[in-house]
Amino acid sequence: MALINKNIFIEELEMKNKKERIYLDELLGNINVCCDQSRFLSQSLSINRHSLDVKEKLLEAQRITLTEFNEQIKNLTKINT
């Protein structure tokens, strides 16, 4: 009788161990997915930051061009008056 109880106990432990392994495998899978998503978001943020830097430089160039254009108009206005 003790041997039967011992075998049942061992089987229950093995089933519990199997369930815990499945749970841990799922957890590890979720962690890997999160890491992949984090990497993707990091790359996206880097690309967006670079894009903003480029846009900022373009706006600065346009501002300079507009300032020069305004100066030329002022000079032409002075010449015509």
Side-chain angles (χ1 to χ4, degrees):
M1 188 70 174
L3 186 58
I4 293 173
N5 286 340
K6 185 177 178 183
N7 286 341
I8 291 173
F9 179 72
I10 290 172
E11 286 177 14
E12 288 174 351
L13 283 177
E14 286 174 347
M15 287 178 61
K16 184 179 177 184
N17 189 20
K18 190 174 187 178
K19 287 178 184 176
E20 287 176 353
R21 283 186 185 178
I22 292 170
Y23 174 76
L24 290 175
D25 285 344
E26 289 174 357
L27 232 108
L28 185 59
N30 289 341
I31 289 170
N32 287 333
V33 168
C34 288
C35 287
D36 290 344
Q37 289 174 342
S38 177
R39 255 185 250 112
F40 174 76
L41 286 173
S42 177
Q43 290 171 349
S44 294
L45 286 173
S46 178
I47 290 168
N48 287 342
R49 187 174 55 237
H50 177 71
S51 176
L52 286 173
D53 289 345
V54 169
K55 287 177 183 177
E56 184 179 351
K57 288 177 184 173
L58 287 172
L59 284 171
E60 179 63 19
Q62 287 175 346
R63 187 188 64 76
I64 291 170
T65 303
L66 188 57
T67 302
E68 291 171 352
F69 180 72
N70 285 337
E71 286 297 318
Q72 289 176 0
I73 289 177
K74 284 180 189 176
N75 291 336
L76 287 172
T77 304
K78 286 180 186 176
I79 292 172
N80 289 334
T81 54

